[in-house]
Amino acid sequence: MNVDALFFGAHPDDVELTSGGLAALLASHGHAVGIVDLTRGESASRGTAEERAGEAAAAAVALGVAGRSTLALPDIGLDRHDPAQLRAIVACLREQRPRLVVAPDRHDAHPDHIEASHLVARACYLAGLARFPASGERHRPERVLFSLYRTSPPA
């Protein structure tokens, strides 16, 4: 499915807490919007992965987005140096072919948010390389925005 905008969160509920308003606004103006949760949030202190999946599905409907998926990468285990994680995100970008990507900002206390920011930013570039070893036809988003959450001052 091709989308106009693709929003990435490290966990289910991250997009809603950081950039859900933008996702809803774009969808209400007729843009195809997708959300990708990198993990299932299985290590969260509140709620099970199954409960979070149900809430995420309901939120996608409320926001009016065209689709929501998870890459099921390891919660509390996102790692910008893991080639398999990077390939999964590149393949997702090549499949959905967004013009705009919204990713977590790297200035955050949560290690998964930091790693997600680096993974998605790098994947946006690498997805455009013809010889990068991931499935799909090369595609590079036109713009990447970073959404703020619990920010800390830049180092």
Side-chain angles (χ1 to χ4, degrees):
M1 165 178 77
N2 288 2
V3 296
D4 298 312
L6 192 58
F7 289 71
F8 285 89
H11 313 99
D13 80 7
D14 286 352
V15 169
E16 292 87 329
L17 293 170
T18 61
S19 52
L22 178 59
L25 180 66
L26 290 172
S28 75
H29 285 271
H31 296 282
V33 176
I35 297 175
V36 176
D37 301 313
L38 298 181
T39 75
R40 295 174 50 244
E42 64 272 14
S43 297
S45 299
R46 288 179 230 116
T48 66
E50 294 75 21
E51 290 169 330
R52 295 185 82 182
E55 292 169 352
V61 171
L63 294 173
V65 301
R68 185 173 201 145
S69 61
T70 180
L71 297 184
L73 300 177
D75 192 12
I76 311 297
L78 292 180
D79 180 356
R80 72 184 94 170
H81 303 293
D82 184 334
Q85 292 183 24
L86 190 58
R87 277 193 305 275
I89 298 168
V90 168
C92 176
L93 289 165
R94 288 176 173 179
E95 176 187 335
Q96 301 207 31
R97 309 185 71 72
R99 293 177 52 215
L100 168 68
V101 165
V102 180
D105 188 75
R106 67 184 175 92
H107 299 107
D108 195 278
H110 195 302
D112 274 351
H113 297 173
I114 297 166
E115 295 301 309
S117 181
H118 288 283
L119 278 164
V120 173
R122 189 165 181 217
C124 284
Y125 181 81
L126 295 175
L129 298 179
R131 291 188 183 92
F132 185 78
S135 63
E137 186 177 323
R138 72 181 179 161
H139 170 78
R140 185 170 294 141
E142 295 173 24
R143 298 242 188 256
V144 180
L145 300 178
F146 295 93
S147 58
L148 301 175
Y149 186 49
R150 297 175 289 199
T151 59
S152 55

